[in-house]
Amino acid sequence: MAELPNFDKLLWLAKHRPEQLNSLQKQLNDEFIQQSNHSAALNALRSDLDKKLLRCNTVEQRCHAISLLMHQKLSTLDNLLNQPNAFYGKQAKILPFTTQTPHKPVR
C-alpha cells in the first residue's frame, strides 16, 4: 500500500498541487477497497461521495459534505448496535401479482 505523506506534505499538496493530492487520495482509496471484504459496498459509498464532492465549490463545502455523510453512517451504525431488532425486523409487505383475464371489447 502506498505510504501516506506527513501532514505538512499533504497541506503543501492541497495548496500547490490539488490534482496530485486528489490522485493520491484515489490511489489510497482504490488500494484500501481492493483489500476489503466489502469492496462492492465501499465502491458504492465512494461513488456516492464522489458525486456529492463534485457539487462542492470550496474546501469547506467538501469538508461539510464528508462530515454529513460520516454522521449519517454513524447514526445508522448506532441504530443497528442499539436496536438490532428494529433494524432486522423490518420486512417489506409482499403483494401477490394477480393475473387478470383480458377484457372483451364492448360492441
Side-chain angles (χ1 to χ4, degrees), residues 92-106:
K93 182 178 179 183
I94 300 174
L95 302 174
F97 284 109
T98 58
T99 57
Q100 298 178 351
T101 58
H103 297 291
K104 295 181 180 178
V106 178

Side-chain angles (χ1 to χ4, degrees), residues 50-69:
D50 288 344
K51 289 174 189 173
K52 289 179 181 183
L53 294 179
L54 282 175
R55 293 182 287 206
C56 298
N57 297 319
T58 65
V59 175
E60 290 81 12
Q61 288 175 337
R62 290 174 63 92
C63 182
H64 181 72
I66 292 169
S67 177
L68 187 60
L69 183 64

Side-chain angles (χ1 to χ4, degrees), residues 18-52:
E19 66 286 341
Q20 190 176 350
L21 181 62
N22 286 338
S23 176
L24 176 64
Q25 178 186 11
K26 184 176 179 343
Q27 176 189 355
L28 291 171
N29 285 341
D30 288 342
E31 290 177 10
F32 177 78
I33 289 173
Q34 287 175 354
Q35 295 175 3
S36 172
N37 294 333
H38 307 284
S39 60
L42 290 173
N43 273 322
L45 180 62
R46 182 177 60 175
S47 175
D48 184 41
L49 180 60
D50 288 344
K51 289 174 189 173
K52 289 179 181 183

